Amino acid sequence: SDVKVLGLMSGSSLDGIDLAIIHFTPDRQYSITRAETIPLDKAWVDQLIDFDKLSYYEGHKLDVGFGLYLGQKILDWLNGERVDLIGVHGYTVFHAPDRIISKQLGHGQAIFHITGIPVVDSFRMEDILGGGSGAPLAPVVERDLLKENGIFVNLGGISNASLHGKFGEVWARDLTGCNQVSNLLSQEAGMPMDKDGKLSIGGKVIPELLAKAELCNRNRGEELSIANAWVRQSLIPVFTDHSGTVADKLITLYSHQTARLKDFLQPILAEARNRNCMVTGGGAMNPVLMKILEKELDQLGVNVVKASQQMIDFKESLLIAWMAYLHATKSPLGAWVWTGSSREDIAGTSYGL
């Protein structure tokens, strides 16, 4: 029968909580019936950013407290509307597959306690326990629900890309720091973000800064996934410590992001099921970044597809809702194909199911 799932995403750029109600039918059709990004209280932003300074006890307390907060936000937002299931991807504070850990704050049990609606969270750990990278997860929804495109790029707090092959193969990886870097640079100019590309218009690439960013990424190694901690501790200082103008640093960052994408795509482009590339995430709203991206991808013969505003804003919420639906129907995630996990698993931890 039809199922209504609420997908909640609390992303790495900490600019709000994405909520979307998705209607799924048994034949894998979907419709987003309602979606909104609601602000995250400043007090919570400050606590989440400082998580790595906390003791184990304080960290666990924050995890549960954030879950209770999210549960109340969900209840307020639903305003009496019923959903069958909630999928939650909280704020990632640790993602280190080599150390067998991935932790998202916003405990599902606390959300279930507040809402009384079954909750699925912690989608990455089963894959990591099987030896996989636990990321990226976006190809799950691309494979199942967005088949008209062969290439996907998400310009979120961290940018990631995936390419789907003609025979069901998937190549996917995180690329580099994205909006969390540009937002920080924008704050140097007194703005929360490079809205409509206004801060970066007229900027010029700083060659030595671009070279430093590229070297920083090479030094990171071959891991498929990128941790917020690496962006904060390694990549951001490369840009913030440079004396260039904000406009020049932003353009250099956008060129760095595009270079990472080209390096990922070039060796595997011939395998793509088609050359339509859907771009989503907050960066897709930036015309300056998109112009640089489109120009470079055009040279590769890749056609950039303008995603709908709803898809740009809520693709990740759709992903979280879909993964919760797969968990509830005891369907394997199938991410091991690209994460390197040794086995096929039912992903997520459920409460109240």
Side-chain angles (χ1 to χ4, degrees), residues 264-284:
F264 166 70
L265 288 178
Q266 271 175 316
I268 53 176
L269 197 50
E271 310 294 335
R273 65 185 176 197
N274 63 61
R275 292 203 176 190
N276 294 332
C277 174
M278 177 188 271
V279 183
T280 56

Side-chain angles (χ1 to χ4, degrees), residues 197-214:
K198 284 177 182 156
L199 291 176
S200 51
I201 287 172
K204 300 272 190 302
V205 171
I206 305 167
E208 85 271 12
L209 178 57
L210 181 60
K212 273 185 187 167
E214 293 290 296

Side-chain angles (χ1 to χ4, degrees), residues 178-194:
C178 187
N179 297 342
Q180 51 181 312
V181 188
S182 59
N183 290 355
L184 224 116
L185 292 175
S186 300
Q187 286 160 29
E188 289 181 12
M191 300 286 283
M193 65 183 75
D194 183 19

